[in-house]
Amino acid sequence: MSRPRPTHLLSLLLAVATALALTGCGNGTASAGGGGGDKAAKTIRIAYQAFPSGDLIVKNKGWLEKALPDYAITWTKFDSGASINTAFVAGSVDIAAIGSSPVARGLSAPLNIPYQVAFVLDVAGDNEALVVRNDAGISDVSGLKGKKVATSFASTAHYSLLAALDRAGVAESEVKIVDLEPQDILASWTRGDIDAAYTWLPTLEELKKNGKVLVASRELATAGKPTLDLGVVSTAFVGAHPGAVDAWRKAEAQALDLIAKDPDAAAQAVGAELNLSKEDAKSQLSQGVFLKPADLASPEWLGTPDKVGGLAKNLVSAAQFLKDQQKIDSVPDLATVERAIYNKGLPGVLGL
């Protein structure tokens, strides 16, 4: 996600340059020309994040490559939804795993990113949380006043941190919030530079070794501030390659099935991607909330072409909260967000 504030202009330019260097300059869609298996003309550029999810299973198993042998598929790792939004702005990503808060920002002005939500990877549970150092002498969120707290700006963790502070009656100005990516959060934590952090697995697991959880995203979800990890696709790519998008959705649904029916196999694949043991990966997967593929077409989530699901309202609500916190300029209306929900073919396209 790009950050419109002037102080972040240099970061934005560097991020765009990095995105272009990593994934190649493009017009925001894989080339539609060519055929006959011409991989140079049919490409899919996927942005992924290193958190336990079905997306890592799809990558590890090579399911999309097997389903689409005539496409050249590249997977590029990003550290946060903010950098992924920047890549979409640069036109260098086609499909991405990204949190709901960055998506709410991306669909809002001034970004107005032309992408669509086509999958729910997971619902944040205990896999994202606010952790405080054991030696900080803090027992609840209100104790963070005057303390230094790290999170990744414009991420679901940032959104949840603001929600946790608001819920505890703590003004954002009363806490020193610093913008760090997960690996930098861990380094700062190790040096003792920060008192607390709101972040996600696997970094979260490391912080918990000498810290305690004050609140997890699961609790905030029950209090009306849920966060999700979503699969989004550029609108241009959906229009040019609907069959490829269907293949990607089927692969992601297969990963959800594997998590539910064979957690050991799922953990083996995720562990290989995160350099974790199967046991550690299994434990981390158990902390997230994963839907059944059939749930995606339910009224609560993506819905169907006849009736868009409640996910659209969730994103509008997230955008409204961000505006209230003065993080975005305006909130998109429900009709605009509903048009950004891609549920064509559901539920049948998932092979259910």
Side-chain angles (χ1 to χ4, degrees), residues 20-299:
L20 291 173
L22 286 171
T23 58
C25 185
N27 62 0
T29 177
S31 300
D38 183 4
K39 287 190 176 184
K42 298 175 71 173
T43 63
I44 306 176
R45 302 161 300 174
I46 302 176
Y48 77 98
Q49 296 191 61
F51 56 76
S53 69
D55 197 46
L56 292 187
I57 296 173
V58 173
K59 177 180 182 293
N60 180 262
K61 297 287 188 181
W63 285 339
L64 194 57
E65 288 80 359
K66 293 172 186 175
L68 300 170
D70 55 338
Y71 280 78
I73 300 171
T74 59
W75 294 77
T76 302
K77 179 183 172 184
F78 287 79
D79 291 324
S80 68
S83 56
I84 289 174
N85 269 344
T86 298
F88 271 112
V89 170
S92 57
V93 172
D94 301 309
I95 298 175
I98 182 172
S100 54
S101 180
V103 170
R105 283 176 176 250
L107 294 176
S108 303
L111 293 181
N112 297 316
I113 297 174
Y115 55 32
Q116 295 183 283
V117 179
F119 210 85
V120 179
L121 300 173
D122 66 77
V123 181
D126 299 319
N127 51 344
E128 284 193 1
L130 174 59
V131 183
V132 65
R133 303 177 65 88
N134 285 334
D135 57 8
I138 298 170
S139 59
D140 53 36
V141 177
S142 63
L144 293 175
K145 292 180 180 180
K147 302 298 184 180
K148 185 182 290 187
V149 183
T151 194
S152 303
F153 280 12
S155 67
T156 52
H158 187 197
Y159 173 89
S160 294
L161 173 60
L162 296 177
L165 293 174
D166 183 66
R167 183 169 172 242
V170 178
E172 182 183 356
S173 60
E174 294 181 289
V175 179
K176 185 175 182 181
I177 302 178
V178 293
D179 180 14
L180 297 174
E181 298 291 8
Q183 67 273 20
D184 298 319
I185 287 176
L186 180 57
S188 294
W189 180 277
T190 301
R191 293 192 301 267
D193 295 342
I194 55 177
D195 302 296
Y198 208 123
T199 191
W200 54 85
L201 294 172
T203 299
L204 173 62
E205 201 66 27
E206 293 299 314
L207 304 190
K208 286 162 62 176
K209 290 179 179 178
N210 61 343
K212 59 184 176 182
V213 173
L214 294 182
V215 64
S217 294
R218 184 188 302 273
E219 181 180 341
L220 293 174
T222 62
K225 291 292 185 292
T227 51
L228 319 161
D229 288 315
L230 304 172
V232 301
V233 185
S234 80
T235 301
F237 187 82
V238 170
H241 301 269
V245 174
D246 287 348
W248 167 73
R249 290 192 291 178
K250 288 178 182 178
E252 294 290 352
Q254 185 179 354
L256 289 180
D257 269 337
L258 191 70
I259 291 171
K261 298 175 181 178
D262 193 346
D264 285 327
Q268 189 73 45
V270 169
E273 292 296 320
L274 296 179
N275 196 28
L276 297 173
S277 68
K278 184 177 75 173
E279 292 72 23
D280 286 344
K282 188 174 181 179
S283 173
Q284 293 192 18
L285 278 169
S286 71
Q287 297 179 55
V289 179
F290 298 95
L291 305 179
K292 296 177 182 178
D295 293 337
L296 293 171
S298 72

Side-chain angles (χ1 to χ4, degrees), residues 326-347:
Q326 299 181 343
K327 302 304 178 185
I328 59 175
D329 297 332
S330 63
V331 178
D333 59 38
L334 180 59
T336 297
V337 178
E338 286 184 338
R339 287 193 293 272
I341 303 296
Y342 186 73
N343 52 26
K344 185 177 180 179
L346 291 182

